[in-house]
Amino acid sequence: GINAEYGNQFSGMAAILRGGFLGVMSIMAWASQIHPPSPLVVPPTVLGTVDLLLVETTPLVIQGALYRFESVRPEYWDNKLSMNASGPSYLRFVNVATGEQTAMFGPGRGLGCAVYDDTSRTVYAFGTAEGGTVVDVFWSSDGMKSWQNQTAIDFGRLKKKVWNTSVGRGRLNGTDVWAMGFELSVAGTPGAWNTAFATATELLGGWTLDQAMQMPIEEEHANPTLRWMNDGYWYCITARQRPGSWYFFSEIYRSQDLTEWESGRGMGTVAGTGVPLLGPNHSLDTQVAPSVASDQQPADGSSESGGWLTREMAGFLTKLRYFFVHAEDVNASDLDLCEWRNQTVMYFNWGEQHSDNGIALAVADLPLKSFLQQFFD
């Protein structure tokens, strides 16, 4: 996303995790600016960190189970293909309840997103090739055991370079469509990042780009997450940098046509932050998310203990927290979300924004449609 440029040299937490904890980070205590939510809004409750050195994730429900799609970067602590920040990246899915991972696929692809088509029982994943000129689509109909792939959009042919993507299904002008939000650099946008859109009637068909379909260029819109609700609106969550400082937060917008966009209540202006959907909060973001009470319980929030981490992962993070709690936290970006057990489940990226990144979990006690609508109604 904003932090999505391949080739950024990882340091701080990454160097500790990949270099045997040599050279402990200096303490960078950050006085987080905590924005009070609107009294009309049920804000997300941040439960804490679920993994380290990840950025782009997508929660989704596949045949009744909660999964997290992950774009595994070269600097990820358990990327066995890479020993530095310029090695191979890949894609995978994680069963949240068990922590079980699918086999890696999509080597060299990242900055991705995923959707599940319950009519065909097919899982689709999208990944951007290194260099940002091609977005590929991968699909599996056999329980994510094997994958086929093809080019979704060749942006190089269009002389464009893109980063993060988000894909959703909805209606546009009375027609059922798939829409892809993609991040690109747009001159004239503060911070240079903006989000534009492409549409297709079939996920494996041809995609159409309409120059008018983009977020307003008066403000920065990076790391898009796109969802359509049956109220007739497309909702798009994007991140931007606070004017004049190294600080990033997430906002929400909606549109009926992917062209004209309405900002959520209190989302701020080009000159100020306002009250974003989510901003960084060091004390909450860097706590370890709650664990299940026993290895027999599902770690997807459905057990009596309400845990969201396996005991093994919780133990790993608890030990490393002595180090990552000192990481600077000025970032709440790359937020993605889904509905699970009548709640809205969100994963987002916290940290320094370029290198010291963690993935945190937040939950809102509302169904997804109600959660999104509350920022406008």
Side-chain angles (χ1 to χ4, degrees):
I2 306 173
N3 55 2
E5 285 277 13
Y6 280 106
N8 285 325
Q9 293 302 309
F10 68 97
S11 60
M13 182 164 60
I16 289 172
L17 294 175
R18 302 303 297 269
F21 305 110
L22 296 178
V24 178
M25 294 175 296
S26 60
I27 297 177
M28 297 177 289
W30 178 262
S32 298
Q33 176 177 337
I34 303 174
H35 306 275
S38 163
L40 303 178
V41 168
V42 176
T45 298
V46 176
L47 299 182
T49 293
V50 299
D51 208 343
L52 301 171
L53 303 180
L54 280 174
V55 179
E56 298 86 12
T57 62
T58 302
L60 68 167
V61 179
I62 302 174
Q63 296 186 26
L66 180 63
Y67 281 82
R68 186 174 61 246
F69 167 75
E70 298 179 345
S71 299
V72 178
R73 291 189 173 201
E75 62 265 32
Y76 180 62
W77 62 270
D78 198 31
N79 185 338
K80 296 180 175 62
L81 301 180
S82 171
M83 290 298 294
N84 53 52
S86 58
S89 58
Y90 58 87
L91 311 174
R92 72 180 183 192
F93 286 81
V94 177
N95 184 315
V96 175
T98 65
E100 181 181 359
Q101 305 166 2
T102 65
M104 65 182 73
F105 64 97
R109 303 298 184 264
L111 312 175
C113 66
V115 293
Y116 176 60
D117 182 1
D118 54 8
T119 58
S120 63
R121 294 198 169 188
T122 302
V123 180
Y124 296 88
F126 293 79
T128 304
E130 188 170 349
T133 58
V134 171
V135 173
D136 289 329
V137 56
F138 300 80
W139 69 95
S140 174
S141 300
D142 62 359
M144 296 177 283
K145 296 181 178 67
S146 63
W147 297 88
Q148 303 179 68
N149 67 282
Q150 68 182 41
T151 296
I153 304 179
D154 183 351
F155 286 97
R157 182 176 58 83
L158 302 172
K159 301 187 184 305
K160 296 181 182 292
K161 182 178 179 180
V162 302
W163 283 265
N164 294 39
T165 59
S166 181
V167 174
R169 178 169 53 184
R171 291 183 65 81
L172 196 62
N173 299 323
T175 302
D176 291 332
V177 300
W178 292 91
M180 177 191 295
F182 54 90
E183 178 188 34
L184 73 169
S185 180
V186 176
T189 300
W193 300 104
N194 203 9
T195 292
F197 303 92
T199 58
T201 55
E202 300 290 340
L203 270 179
L204 301 180
W207 289 84
T208 300
L209 278 71
D210 185 332
Q211 296 277 358
M213 289 184 179
Q214 66 175 17
M215 302 291 287
I217 66 169
E218 292 79 18
E219 296 172 351
E220 183 178 34
H221 301 283
N223 319 129
T225 289
L226 185 65
R227 296 290 185 272
W228 184 83
M229 295 290 114
N230 61 6
D231 60 359
Y233 283 96
W234 294 88
Y235 292 83
C236 193
I237 297 171
T238 58
R240 68 181 173 106
Q241 183 176 355
R242 185 168 65 191
S245 65
W246 192 255
Y247 180 95
F248 303 84
F249 53 93
S250 292
E251 300 180 305
I252 185 169
Y253 295 76
R254 71 178 182 181
S255 173
Q256 293 181 308
D257 58 8
L258 300 177
T259 301
E260 299 293 330
W261 290 88
E262 172 190 2
S263 64
R265 184 171 52 247
M267 289 298 118
T269 66
V270 67
T273 307
V275 184
L277 186 155
L278 189 67
N281 184 318
H282 184 273
S283 63
L284 297 179
D285 298 344
T286 60
Q287 66 186 356
V288 176
S291 165
V292 294
S294 72
D295 293 334
Q296 287 69 45
Q297 291 182 335
D300 59 3
S302 65
S303 68
E304 289 184 8
S305 63
W308 286 92
L309 286 175
T310 63
R311 286 165 55 83
E312 180 182 14
M313 191 62 180
F316 171 75
L317 291 171
T318 298
K319 293 174 182 178
L320 289 184
R321 189 173 184 273
Y322 293 103
F323 299 93
F324 71 76
V325 73
H326 300 305
E328 188 176 15
D329 183 19
V330 292
N331 182 40
S333 69
D334 296 86
L335 185 153
D336 212 328
L337 74 180
C338 75
E339 184 172 324
W340 173 244
R341 302 179 66 247
N342 213 37
Q343 293 182 313
T344 299
V345 173
M346 290 157 267
Y347 291 101
F348 66 95
N349 180 226
W350 70 265
E352 183 272 339
Q353 227 287 326
H354 268 164
S355 55
D356 293 330
N357 297 300
I359 289 293
L361 167 72
V363 176
D365 196 18
L366 287 173
L368 179 59
K369 180 179 177 181
S370 298
F371 175 76
L372 298 174
Q373 286 180 330
Q374 66 174 337
F375 293 95
F376 300 90
D377 298 338

